[in-house]
Amino acid sequence: MGKKGDLSNFERGMVVGARRAGLSISQSAQLLGFSRTTISRVYKEWYEKGKTSSMRQSCGRKCLVDARGQRRMGRLIQADRRATLTEITTRYNQSMQQSICKATTHTTLRRMGYNSRRPHRVPLISTTNRKKRLQFARAHQNWTVEDWKNVAWSDESRFLLRHSDGRVRIWRKQNENMDPSCLVTTVQAGGGGVMVWGMFSWHTLGPLVPIGHRLNATAYLSIVSDHVHPFMTTMYPSFDGFFQQDNAPCHKARIISNWFLEHDNEFTVLKWPPQSPDLNPTEHLWDVVERELRALDVHPTNLH
């Protein structure tokens, strides 16, 4: 049995062309694969009305969620970004005359440009610390590159012997879930790691100091006196340098603050806003070190 129902504009043109070429209704139906009723109707519409295109704008079931419904669904998303499809559907149906299912909700959200994604992880910053970060930004918004060249940056970082591969994906068959090639091994506490302290400025890299166990105020005082002081006096002989450190407890200890006061005529400690690792360019250096370690042909097997 040939195709019935409304035809596309191209198919209508084929029908009219076949009939005008002298083919009978049966011959046209057999050639084009349409029913004789469809061939007769389309040709009659062309012959009597000059109609060569379908007047139907669209086919299929009418969309259950109109523009008003999409606006309502958008408000529901804005009110609760973490809502599930079930929750969105339930809340949408509460004040609508025509109910929809989860599949319709999903289709509508995709049509509106919404997709379910994992949220980016960012540190939780209190309102007070947000204000302090903003104050820091405003206080330094007019600093030039030349000004930032006078800053020596510092930070600590820990590098694990075995790094995490994160959420990896593999290709396997259903019965290969325990195949050795399809497994990712784990080690408790990452197999141990090395803690280091480092500093750098626009001009050069500074020292990289291994830290034994924990960095307390006494250990940090040794770093400041043995490494920070000679670096600052050498790189900034005009005493116009700024030393940056974060607000870790050992950095704010009294013996550390007293040491900096005794040497405030040689360099200045940059007042640093809390919870602001994203402002410290040393984080990019740590990322380079991490990538270099992972790119080694022979991976380290011990902390040494």
Side-chain angles (χ1 to χ4, degrees):
M1 182 178 292
K3 178 179 179 180
K4 295 183 178 181
D6 210 349
L7 305 183
S8 66
N9 295 342
F10 177 73
E11 291 171 333
R12 283 176 168 270
M14 293 174 60
V15 171
V16 173
R19 295 288 286 123
R20 293 189 66 187
L23 297 180
S24 66
I25 294 178
S26 298
Q27 290 172 329
S28 299
Q30 185 176 6
L31 176 66
L32 301 176
F34 305 144
S35 68
R36 293 193 303 170
T37 303
T38 300
I39 297 290
S40 177
R41 174 177 56 81
V42 171
Y43 183 73
K44 183 178 180 181
E45 289 176 351
W46 172 81
Y47 186 79
E48 296 181 353
K49 305 177 183 178
K51 179 181 177 182
T52 57
S53 63
S54 174
M55 301 302 292
R56 294 183 63 184
Q57 298 298 318
S58 61
C59 299
R61 183 180 179 183
K62 183 179 179 181
C63 182
L64 296 177
V65 182
D66 55 12
R68 176 173 171 268
Q70 290 188 14
R71 290 194 296 271
R72 170 170 170 72
M73 197 169 291
R75 290 193 296 269
L76 292 174
I77 291 292
Q78 296 292 331
D80 185 3
R81 293 280 188 173
R82 301 186 180 186
T84 63
L85 276 177
T86 302
E87 292 171 339
I88 296 172
T89 304
T90 302
R91 294 167 186 172
Y92 178 88
N93 290 334
Q94 286 177 352
S95 60
M96 303 299 288
Q97 294 181 348
Q98 188 171 17
S99 298
I100 61 175
C101 62
K102 285 199 307 182
T104 302
T105 302
H106 190 212
T107 302
T108 303
L109 290 176
R110 290 180 65 87
R111 187 183 300 118
M112 295 169 63
Y114 288 103
N115 290 285
S116 179
R117 294 287 186 266
R118 297 185 187 277
H120 289 290
R121 291 184 175 273
V122 296
L124 178 63
I125 303 177
S126 65
T127 303
T128 301
N129 289 343
R130 287 175 184 269
K131 292 180 179 179
K132 291 181 179 179
R133 283 166 56 90
L134 181 60
Q135 290 171 358
F136 177 86
R138 287 173 173 170
H140 299 86
Q141 63 179 339
N142 294 323
W143 274 33
T144 64
V145 174
E146 295 301 318
D147 293 325
W148 290 110
K149 285 182 180 181
N150 291 333
V151 179
W153 308 88
S154 72
D155 193 25
E156 301 89 25
S157 185
R158 182 177 179 84
F159 297 93
L160 298 178
L161 187 61
R162 292 178 178 269
H163 65 269
S164 172
D165 290 324
R167 289 181 173 271
V168 298
R169 289 181 176 271
I170 58 171
W171 293 99
R172 66 171 177 84
K173 296 180 180 178
Q174 186 175 2
N175 60 346
E176 293 180 329
N177 57 318
M178 294 305 294
D179 188 285
S181 62
C182 300
L183 301 177
V184 175
T185 57
T186 60
V187 177
Q188 188 173 5
V194 175
M195 176 77 76
V196 293
W197 174 94
M199 67 181 299
F200 84 106
S201 71
W202 172 281
H203 309 285
T204 184
L205 289 172
L208 185 67
V209 183
I211 300 172
H213 298 284
R214 269 183 79 186
L215 184 61
N216 53 30
T218 303
Y220 188 61
L221 181 61
S222 299
I223 292 176
V224 169
S225 58
D226 297 342
H227 300 284
V228 174
H229 185 251
F231 183 89
M232 296 301 295
T233 53
T234 301
M235 299 308 303
Y236 305 103
S238 301
F239 309 131
D240 56 350
F242 290 85
F243 173 67
Q244 180 274 336
Q245 62 176 3
D246 60 27
N247 297 287
C250 63
H251 298 173
K252 311 302 289 185
R254 180 172 299 180
I255 58 173
I256 303 298
S257 300
N258 291 339
W259 190 95
F260 281 130
L261 285 175
E262 294 173 3
H263 297 82
D264 62 356
N265 60 327
E266 297 175 300
F267 60 90
T268 303
V269 177
L270 187 67
K271 190 174 181 181
W272 194 247
Q275 292 184 283
S276 301
D278 55 311
L279 302 181
N280 189 346
T282 314
E283 296 293 339
H284 298 287
L285 279 184
W286 296 143
D287 183 62
V288 171
V289 174
E290 184 72 35
R291 291 176 184 271
E292 292 291 335
L293 287 173
R294 296 187 184 189
L296 290 175
D297 293 333
V298 180
H299 291 280
T301 57
N302 56 70
L303 297 181
H304 178 72

